[in-house]
Amino acid sequence: MIEKLIEFSIKKKYLVVALTLLVSIIGFYSATKLSVDAVPDVTNVQVSAVTVSPGLSPMEVEQFITNPI
């Protein structure tokens, strides 16, 4: 099978070059229209938890009521 493919490619070399050029142009065009963010978001993931506990200081609320996720 690979022999037939190579034989066809040698006999029809201009067709193979034209198809390769066509696929390359389409790929380049698609790559320029692709919207990809080049810089990933590296910020820390943060969660805001609102807790009300009368009589406790913020440090005590953080230690006794809220848990790290």
Side-chain angles (χ1 to χ4, degrees), residues 56-68:
L56 294 178
S57 69
M59 186 65 84
E60 290 172 332
V61 170
E62 188 175 335
Q63 288 177 352
F64 299 126
I65 297 178
T66 60
N67 292 321

Side-chain angles (χ1 to χ4, degrees), residues 3 6-7 13 15 21 25 27-29 37-39 49 54 58 69:
E3 292 87 12
I6 293 172
E7 183 181 334
K13 58 185 167 189
L15 177 65
L21 185 62
I25 290 171
F28 181 75
Y29 175 75
D37 192 10
V39 180
I69 296 177

Side-chain angles (χ1 to χ4, degrees), residues 2-47:
I2 191 79
E3 292 87 12
K4 290 181 182 180
L5 181 63
I6 293 172
E7 183 181 334
F8 175 79
S9 298
I10 291 172
K11 287 182 180 178
K12 307 285 185 174
K13 58 185 167 189
Y14 296 115
L15 177 65
V16 171
V17 169
L19 288 175
T20 303
L21 185 62
L22 179 67
V23 169
S24 298
I25 290 171
I26 292 171
F28 181 75
Y29 175 75
S30 297
T32 59
K33 298 298 177 191
L34 188 63
S35 62
V36 175
D37 192 10
V39 180
D41 184 17
V42 294
T43 58
N44 293 335
V45 178
Q46 297 179 358
V47 177

